[in-house]
Coordinates of all heavy atoms in Angstrom, one line a residue:
D157 N -13.1 -90.1 -50.0 CA -13.6 -91.5 -49.9 C -12.6 -92.3 -49.2 O -11.7 -92.9 -49.8 CB -13.9 -92.0 -51.3 CG -14.5 -93.4 -51.3 OD1 -14.6 -94.0 -50.2 OD2 -15.0 -93.8 -52.4
P158 N -12.7 -92.4 -47.9 CA -11.7 -93.2 -47.1 C -11.5 -94.7 -47.6 O -10.4 -95.2 -47.6 CB -12.2 -93.1 -45.7 CG -13.0 -91.9 -45.6 CD -13.6 -91.8 -47.0
A159 N -12.6 -95.3 -48.0 CA -12.5 -96.7 -48.4 C -11.7 -96.8 -49.7 O -10.9 -97.8 -49.8 CB -13.9 -97.2 -48.6
A160 N -11.9 -95.9 -50.6 CA -11.1 -95.9 -51.8 C -9.6 -95.7 -51.6 O -8.8 -96.1 -52.4 CB -11.7 -94.9 -52.8
W161 N -9.3 -95.0 -50.6 CA -7.9 -94.7 -50.3 C -7.2 -95.7 -49.4 O -6.0 -95.6 -49.1 CB -7.8 -93.3 -49.6 CG -7.8 -92.2 -50.6 CD1 -8.9 -91.6 -51.2 CD2 -6.7 -91.5 -51.2 NE1 -8.6 -90.6 -52.1 CE2 -7.2 -90.5 -52.1 CE3 -5.3 -91.6 -51.1 CZ2 -6.4 -89.7 -52.9 CZ3 -4.5 -90.8 -51.8 CH2 -5.0 -89.8 -52.7
E162 N -8.0 -96.6 -48.9 CA -7.4 -97.6 -47.9 C -6.2 -98.3 -48.6 O -6.3 -98.8 -49.7 CB -8.5 -98.6 -47.5 CG -8.0 -99.5 -46.4 CD -9.1 -100.4 -45.8 OE1 -10.3 -100.1 -46.2 OE2 -8.8 -101.2 -45.0
G163 N -5.1 -98.4 -47.8 CA -3.9 -99.1 -48.3 C -3.0 -98.3 -49.2 O -2.1 -98.8 -49.8
M164 N -3.3 -97.0 -49.3 CA -2.5 -96.1 -50.2 C -1.7 -95.2 -49.3 O -1.9 -95.0 -48.1 CB -3.4 -95.3 -51.1 CG -4.3 -96.2 -52.0 SD -5.4 -95.3 -53.1 CE -4.3 -94.4 -54.1
N165 N -0.7 -94.6 -50.0 CA 0.1 -93.5 -49.3 C -0.8 -92.3 -49.1 O -1.9 -92.2 -49.6 CB 1.4 -93.2 -50.1 CG 1.0 -92.6 -51.4 OD1 0.2 -93.1 -52.2 ND2 1.7 -91.5 -51.8
L166 N -0.3 -91.4 -48.3 CA -1.0 -90.2 -47.8 C -1.9 -90.5 -46.6 O -2.1 -89.6 -45.8 CB -1.8 -89.5 -48.9 CG -1.2 -89.2 -50.2 CD1 -2.1 -88.3 -51.0 CD2 0.2 -88.5 -50.1
V167 N -2.4 -91.7 -46.5 CA -3.3 -92.0 -45.4 C -2.9 -93.2 -44.5 O -3.6 -93.6 -43.6 CB -4.7 -92.3 -46.0 CG1 -5.2 -91.1 -46.8 CG2 -4.7 -93.6 -46.8
S168 N -1.7 -93.8 -44.8 CA -1.3 -95.0 -44.1 C -1.1 -94.7 -42.6 O -0.7 -93.5 -42.2 CB 0.0 -95.6 -44.7 OG 1.1 -94.7 -44.4
P169 N -1.3 -95.6 -41.7 CA -1.1 -95.4 -40.3 C 0.3 -94.8 -39.9 O 0.4 -93.9 -39.1 CB -1.3 -96.8 -39.6 CG -2.3 -97.4 -40.6 CD -1.9 -97.0 -41.9
P170 N 1.4 -95.3 -40.5 CA 2.7 -94.7 -40.1 C 2.8 -93.2 -40.5 O 3.4 -92.4 -39.8 CB 3.7 -95.6 -40.9 CG 3.1 -96.9 -41.1 CD 1.6 -96.5 -41.3
E171 N 2.2 -92.9 -41.7 CA 2.3 -91.4 -42.1 C 1.4 -90.6 -41.1 O 1.8 -89.5 -40.7 CB 1.7 -91.3 -43.5 CG 2.6 -91.9 -44.6 CD 2.0 -92.0 -45.9 OE1 1.1 -92.9 -46.1 OE2 2.2 -91.1 -46.8
R172 N 0.3 -91.1 -40.8 CA -0.6 -90.3 -39.8 C 0.0 -90.3 -38.5 O -0.1 -89.3 -37.8 CB -2.0 -91.0 -39.8 CG -2.8 -90.7 -41.1 CD -4.2 -91.4 -41.1 NE -5.0 -90.8 -42.1 CZ -6.2 -91.2 -42.4 NH1 -6.8 -92.2 -41.7 NH2 -6.9 -90.6 -43.4
A173 N 0.7 -91.3 -38.1 CA 1.5 -91.3 -36.8 C 2.6 -90.2 -36.8 O 2.8 -89.6 -35.8 CB 2.0 -92.7 -36.5
A174 N 3.2 -90.1 -37.9 CA 4.3 -89.1 -38.0 C 3.7 -87.7 -37.9 O 4.3 -86.8 -37.3 CB 5.0 -89.2 -39.4

Side-chain angles (χ1 to χ4, degrees):
D157 185 350
W161 278 84
E162 189 172 352
M164 299 177 66
N165 63 314
L166 309 189
V167 302
S168 70
E171 291 168 282
R172 287 179 166 176

